Amino acid sequence: MWLGWRYGVVMLLAAWPACGLQVYNNFYSPRNPEREARTDTRYIILHTTEAPGSSALPKLSACGEANFGVDTDGRVYRIVDHRRTAYHCGRSMWDGRVNVDDHAIGIEVVGYHNKEVTRAQYQSLGVLLKELQFRYRIPDERVLTHSMVAYGAPNKWITRSHRGRKRCGMLFARADVRQKLQLQSKARFDPDVRAGRLINGDMYLAKVLYGNAREQEHLLAQSSPAGASVVSAQHSVWDIARDSYRRADTIYIYPDGTRRAGNQIRDWQAVPLGTKVQVADTSPAADSGSTADEVQVIGVDGATATEIAGDEAWSASTLYLLRDGRFLRGSQMPVPARDKLPAGTRMLVGYSAGGPVPTARLAQEVCGARWRQPDTFYLMPGGTLKSGREMGNGMLAKGTAVFYRN
Ligand SMILES: [Zn+2]
């Protein structure tokens, strides 16, 4: 045990300026060999695990969902090599660039989005940031939080793609917190909301991220504690659970004592005021999305295309997977067909499509490094849908279509 721990200790990189930072390899991810080297590194994204290190760090390692983890005792763990792509942002955009993982180093700080981290964490995270910023020439204003870059597809509450999908890492936008990390400047506004690419889906979050120091203090004082919250006229299910609302492990306890899981609720309007919501543990492994969340089905719980995709139902980035094995973009869907889409039609919102491929070829040639991601999908000639995780060596049969997040 002792020996293993000793040998786990290595210096970050000998060529970096000597700073004395030790990086531990105890959680070095088995996913490393399969991850592409990034060709562009312009951001550092800070996350909070929303779970203790004892559960979060092994999950991050198993799934390769961060480049570094910083535990409460200040220890820095290498998870995915800093030169390779870690999957930590999920659906994300910043300044018009989508899939921020392709442009960023991800650091998971063990802690919660609305709670102070430890002194030891401030200290070692500060040193780690300095090292990485020096190495990649990343200015302070490009040290961002996951909550800044994550965005959501339209849902029952918000009919357009929106910021506010997550509050992860929110505290690292606070002026006092950045000061402790010796970050002198920060992004002053949300470039994608300003440019109209997204709308703002979480007013509270936007104020914490871009308010001045006094506003931030004031807001945090009124922030509700983590854990169970109650649906009220002021707090919708969406306000409380954000993008975890439909999950099987988000639990709703109605005032009459009835318990429902997020995936069992059909009519969201009918969730009574006074319902207690226990939001699922939004640990990192849940971040990159699962098949169940991405592929939506018309007719399930009576859902129509516009209920699922809102204003983006008929846009080119909403894909319809027809039962006969073909697919259509929303913009190609003839108007008369829109009202008659049969139950069972599968939908992907916020996606690009490649193919069907005219001859057998490698998936990488169609969608690059994303080919093996769990939220990349393959529509086989017979109509079967597979996720990137199920794709073996990535050789696509003639006629396979590829869908990947845009
Ligand atoms: Zn995060």
Side-chain angles (χ1 to χ4, degrees):
M1 198 64 184
W2 172 245
L3 272 179
W5 181 80
R6 285 290 296 242
Y7 287 127
V9 176
V10 287
M11 297 297 288
L12 197 49
L13 264 187
W16 291 20
C19 64
L21 180 71
Q22 285 187 327
V23 178
Y24 296 77
N25 273 337
N26 309 46
F27 295 103
Y28 193 62
S29 174
R31 304 273 177 179
N32 267 283
E34 70 192 44
R35 294 301 168 79
E36 305 276 319
R38 274 192 318 280
T39 53
D40 177 49
T41 305
R42 61 181 66 223
Y43 308 119
I44 296 173
I45 307 298
L46 298 174
H47 303 255
T48 39
T49 56
E50 311 297 319
S54 53
S55 64
L57 289 166
K59 265 191 222 168
L60 289 167
S61 174
C63 304
E65 290 180 326
N67 295 98
F68 296 96
V70 183
D71 208 348
T72 46
D73 61 5
R75 277 197 198 177
V76 176
Y77 294 99
R78 182 204 315 267
I79 296 170
V80 172
D81 185 289
H82 63 91
R83 291 161 293 193
R84 294 181 186 271
T85 306
Y87 301 156
H88 50 101
C89 286
R91 186 186 290 267
S92 52
M93 181 193 298
W94 187 254
D95 208 9
R97 282 183 188 83
V98 291
N99 218 38
V100 170
D101 291 342
D102 292 343
H103 308 281
I105 292 168
I107 303 175
E108 284 277 358
V109 182
V110 175
Y112 297 85
H113 68 280
N114 56 356
K115 286 195 193 129
E116 205 73 27
V117 299
T118 68
R119 256 179 83 168
Q121 282 174 307
Y122 277 124
Q123 211 152 41
S124 58
L125 177 60
V127 176
L128 177 63
L129 285 174
K130 276 239 145 35
E131 288 284 336
L132 294 167
Q133 288 184 259
F134 176 83
R135 164 98 183 188
Y136 289 100
R137 306 269 180 274
I138 297 172
D140 290 354
E141 60 269 25
R142 288 205 223 132
V143 178
L144 305 170
T145 71
H146 189 194
S147 44
M148 285 172 155
V149 303
Y151 79 96
N155 62 35
K156 302 233 179 213
W157 286 275
I158 303 185
T159 61
R160 280 193 52 195
S161 289
H162 53 273
R163 197 69 84 191
R165 181 170 74 78
K166 292 207 165 287
R167 290 183 178 174
C168 178
M170 180 180 89
L171 88 153
F172 296 112
R174 277 163 49 187
D176 58 331
V177 169
R178 291 180 82 86
Q179 206 165 29
K180 288 181 195 168
L181 295 170
Q182 296 179 45
L183 297 168
Q184 310 297 335
S185 60
K186 72 164 191 174
R188 298 197 179 282
F189 57 87
D190 185 325
D192 302 302
V193 170
R194 185 168 277 195
R197 289 181 282 263
L198 300 175
I199 61 166
N200 182 7
D202 185 348
M203 287 315 212
Y204 171 84
L205 174 70
K207 282 192 223 156
V208 173
L209 296 180
Y210 304 106
N212 64 37
R214 265 193 65 174
E215 289 166 332
Q216 289 176 334
E217 282 303 315
H218 180 65
L219 282 161
L220 288 163
Q222 0 165 296
S223 149
S224 59
S229 276
V230 176
V231 178
S232 67
Q234 287 77 37
H235 289 98
S236 68
V237 167
W238 168 248
D239 290 331
I240 296 165
R242 319 301 313 172
D243 72 343
S244 297
Y245 75 95
R246 280 192 300 133
R247 286 175 53 146
D249 48 357
T250 292
I251 305 299
Y252 296 82
I253 303 162
Y254 292 4
D256 68 2
T258 311
R259 289 171 75 95
R260 290 261 184 284
N263 63 346
Q264 296 173 328
I265 295 177
R266 297 188 154 70
D267 181 1
W268 290 94
Q269 256 68 30
V271 174
L273 300 184
T275 294
K276 249 172 92 177
V277 187
Q278 288 169 351
V279 182
D281 169 17
T282 51
S283 53
D287 246 27
S288 36
S290 64
T291 310
D293 278 352
E294 291 304 328
V295 183
Q296 307 207 54
V297 182
I298 290 176
V300 170
D301 306 343
T304 63
T306 43
E307 269 174 17
I308 291 170
D311 296 349
E312 292 171 37
W314 316 117
S315 81
S317 60
T318 294
L319 307 178
Y320 293 84
L321 283 47
L322 308 179
R323 293 171 85 181
D324 63 8
R326 290 180 305 139
F327 76 92
L328 282 180
R329 294 178 172 83
S331 54
Q332 298 171 317
M333 186 71 71
V335 176
R338 293 179 180 181
D339 297 331
K340 295 185 215 114
L341 280 166
T345 303
R346 292 164 295 183
M347 286 175 70
L348 289 164
V349 185
Y351 268 75
S352 297
V357 295
T359 55
R361 70 176 54 173
L362 282 171
Q364 292 94 309
E365 294 170 33
V366 184
C367 61
R370 291 175 210 172
W371 77 274
R372 225 197 303 222
Q373 279 186 209
D375 55 359
T376 294
F377 296 100
Y378 297 86
L379 184 62
M380 309 297 173
T384 312
L385 196 65
K386 281 193 180 175
S387 98
R389 284 217 172 122
E390 305 166 281
M391 283 309 287
N393 63 7
M395 183 54 80
L396 306 180
K398 174 185 168 187
T400 304
V402 185
F403 311 125
Y404 51 98
R405 273 186 178 176
N406 59 14

